[in-house]
């Protein structure tokens, strides 16, 4: 495969940044230097793609950086002292992001101009639109239902709630993909955004989030919407500088009021804004990796490379335990609180640093595949937008989460939508033939 001079220069820049960060971390015992070196490396791929947030070099590196540095930062502030900190976790995470970036490649794809082209437009059909509305109404109804049942959290809803409620809680993933397709279709035809539709979907997802504590619903909607607006050139860097602080404020607030609409109680969190921002989801990946490193003699390479094959099989069998469940059973056996896991950590238990390299090579190839094919049609673009939310979540989960999301969420939902689109599509009638029939 021939590599252009420009791409080669970007690879050299990336490699130099990696070596510099690696040497800096290895030669110092200062936590702040470790974090600074890691963040400095993560800035390079973002600059390489000129802050194009649709490129994985931007969104994947950005989120991976936050997840990787959250625990060290909190530890430096005096939190998580029981778990401790060691430079090994920064080295492992640095290798993980570098390897994945190598396979993703800095090459950018060109998205069509929707003012001139309709190559991504499809006819969703009236039946699909009706289902779209029914899905939204279902979320509002189930939010009203759970608010009157005395539930105290989402885990209780999933464990004790009726089957139909748990089914409805899966609707947001369908809505997210339908929402992407619908916005693109509407803009292609009318050349402006359907603001009422966007508000309706966002409002429904916000309601179900407020009454369930499942913050992933509304944050996935926000990420997808920002990506759509960026692709349609409705927002630029100036807007992002305004949006970013707002989201950074919403995250601590969402944690404080997570179960307020269920229990009417406010979470008694820390007054420290940085801790409120980084604790919970963001800190889990690097914190859990530190847990593994603390017991390296026992867990390093304990699962072997067959774990990758097991992850593939787990997609089709609920009887196969995931690495996330293994971590919870091993380190927190008597605790019902979900601590997530760590994608880097799965590579670690597969085969140490070599396991990390292999696992993130595969992850990089998957990201590259979805990004490279995202311009083919509306299905592949919708798949890419939803896929990036899966990857972001999987940073604090495991490889089986990615595979399950691809097959059970993206694959299944798009297949159903494709079949429905074909069934409900009204064939275009040739005007000339129609006129001839009338004359006869």
């Amino acid at each position: 495969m021939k590599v252009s001079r420009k791409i080669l220069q970007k690879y050299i820049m990336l490699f130099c940044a990696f070596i510099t960060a690696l040497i800096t971390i290895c030669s110092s015992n200062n936590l702040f230097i470790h974090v600074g070196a890691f963040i400095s490396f993560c800035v390079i791929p973002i600059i390489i793609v000129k802050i194009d947030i649709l490129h994985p070099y931007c969104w994947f590196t950005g989120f991976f950086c936050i997840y990787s540095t959250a625990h060290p930062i909190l530890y430096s502030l005096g939190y998580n002292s029981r778990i401790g900190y060691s430079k090994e976790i920064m080295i492992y995470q640095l290798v993980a992001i570098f390897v994945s970036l190598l396979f993703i490649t800095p090459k950018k794809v060109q998205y069509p101009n929707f003012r001139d082209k309709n190559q991504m437009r499809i006819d969703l059909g009236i039946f699909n639109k009706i289902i779209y509305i029914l899905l939204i109404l279902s979320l509002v109804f189930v939010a009203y239902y759970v608010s009157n049942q005395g539930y105290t959290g989402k885990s209780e809803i999933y464990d004790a709630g009726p089957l139909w409620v748990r089914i409805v809680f899966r609707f947001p993933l369908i809505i997210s993909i339908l929402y992407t397709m619908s916005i693109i279709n509407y803009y292609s035809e009318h050349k402006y955004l359907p603001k009422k539709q966007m508000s309706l979907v966002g409002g429904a997802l916000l309601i179900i989030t407020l009454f369930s504590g499942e913050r992933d619903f509304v944050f996935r909607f926000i990420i997808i919407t920002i990506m759509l607006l960026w692709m349609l050139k409705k927002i630029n860097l100036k807007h992002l500088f305004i949006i970013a602080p707002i989201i950074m404020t919403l995250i601590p607030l969402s944690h404080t009021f997570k179960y307020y609409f269920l229990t009417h109680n406010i979470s008694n969190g820390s007054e420290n804004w940085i801790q409120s921002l980084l604790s919970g989801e963001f800190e889990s990946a690097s914190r859990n990796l530190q847990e593994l490193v603390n017991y390296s003699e026992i867990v390093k390479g304990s699962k072997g490379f067959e774990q990758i094959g097991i992850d593939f099989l787990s997609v089709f069998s609920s009887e196969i335990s995931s690495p996330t469940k293994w971590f919870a059973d091993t380190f927190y056996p008597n605790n019902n609180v979900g601590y997530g896991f760590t994608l880097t950590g799965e590579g670690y238990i597969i085969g140490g640093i070599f396991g990390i390299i292999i696992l993130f090579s595969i992850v990089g190839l998957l990201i590259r595949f979805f990004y490279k094919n995202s311009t083919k049609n509306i299905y592949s673009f919708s798949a890419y937008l939803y896929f990036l939310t899966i990857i972001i979540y999987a940073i604090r989960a495991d490889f089986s989460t990615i595979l399950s999301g691809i097959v059970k969420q993206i694959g299944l939902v798009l297949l159903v939508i494709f079949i429905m689109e074909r069934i409900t599509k009204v064939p275009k009638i040739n005007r000339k033939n129609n006129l001839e029939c009338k004359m006869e």
Side-chain angles (χ1 to χ4, degrees), residues 1-15 44-52 54-58 61 97-110 364 367-368 371-372:
M1 181 178 67
K2 188 177 180 180
V3 180
S4 67
R5 178 179 295 182
K6 186 177 292 188
I7 296 296
L8 185 59
Q9 290 174 345
K10 292 177 180 179
Y11 269 131
I12 292 173
M13 188 186 304
L14 193 66
F15 180 76
I44 299 303
I46 295 174
I47 293 175
I48 285 176
V49 295
K50 300 179 180 178
I51 321 182
D52 178 6
L54 271 170
H55 196 291
Y57 266 42
C58 194
T61 305
I97 185 64
F98 174 67
V99 169
S100 60
L101 292 176
L102 287 179
F103 283 90
I104 292 170
T105 79
K107 188 175 181 179
K108 298 172 69 172
V109 301
Q110 296 297 320
I367 295 175
R368 178 186 176 185
Y371 175 64
K372 184 179 179 181

Side-chain angles (χ1 to χ4, degrees), residues 120-122 180-181 184-185 376-383:
M120 280 193 174
R121 190 169 178 272
I122 62 172
T180 303
M181 291 183 167
I184 294 174
N185 272 330
K376 286 189 173 181
N377 52 56
I378 194 171
Y379 292 101
S380 60
F381 179 73
S382 301

Side-chain angles (χ1 to χ4, degrees), residues 350-419:
I350 285 174
I353 194 165
F354 190 57
I356 293 172
I357 292 172
I358 295 299
L359 183 62
F360 275 83
S361 298
I362 299 172
V363 171
L365 286 172
L366 284 173
I367 295 175
R368 178 186 176 185
F369 172 81
F370 276 89
Y371 175 64
K372 184 179 179 181
N373 290 281
S374 61
T375 61
K376 286 189 173 181
N377 52 56
I378 194 171
Y379 292 101
S380 60
F381 179 73
S382 301
Y384 175 63
L385 284 198
Y386 193 85
F387 173 74
L388 68 86
T389 65
I390 292 173
I391 291 291
I392 291 170
Y393 177 81
I395 295 172
R396 63 175 291 267
D398 53 53
F399 188 52
S400 67
T401 302
I402 299 174
L403 297 174
S404 179
I406 292 173
V407 176
K408 294 181 179 179
Q409 297 177 25
I410 296 175
L412 185 59
V413 172
L414 286 181
L415 177 62
V416 171
I417 293 174
F418 176 78
I419 293 173

Side-chain angles (χ1 to χ4, degrees), residues 58 73 103 273 297 336 383 425:
C58 194
I73 291 173
F103 283 90
W273 178 79
E297 299 85 359
N336 293 325
K425 187 175 183 180

Side-chain angles (χ1 to χ4, degrees), residues 33-99:
I33 292 178
H34 299 165
V35 172
F38 190 92
I39 294 175
S40 297
F41 169 78
C42 290
V43 170
I44 299 303
I46 295 174
I47 293 175
I48 285 176
V49 295
K50 300 179 180 178
I51 321 182
D52 178 6
I53 64 172
L54 271 170
H55 196 291
Y57 266 42
C58 194
W59 63 261
F60 181 58
T61 305
F63 277 100
F64 195 89
C65 181
I66 297 172
Y67 280 108
S68 299
T69 58
H71 169 67
I73 291 173
L74 289 175
Y75 178 78
S76 70
L77 296 175
Y79 305 105
N80 296 335
S81 56
R82 179 189 67 81
I83 298 173
Y85 166 79
S86 57
K87 70 169 69 175
E88 285 84 357
I89 70 167
M90 299 307 293
I91 295 172
Y92 293 143
Q93 292 174 137
L94 181 65
V95 170
I97 185 64
F98 174 67
V99 169

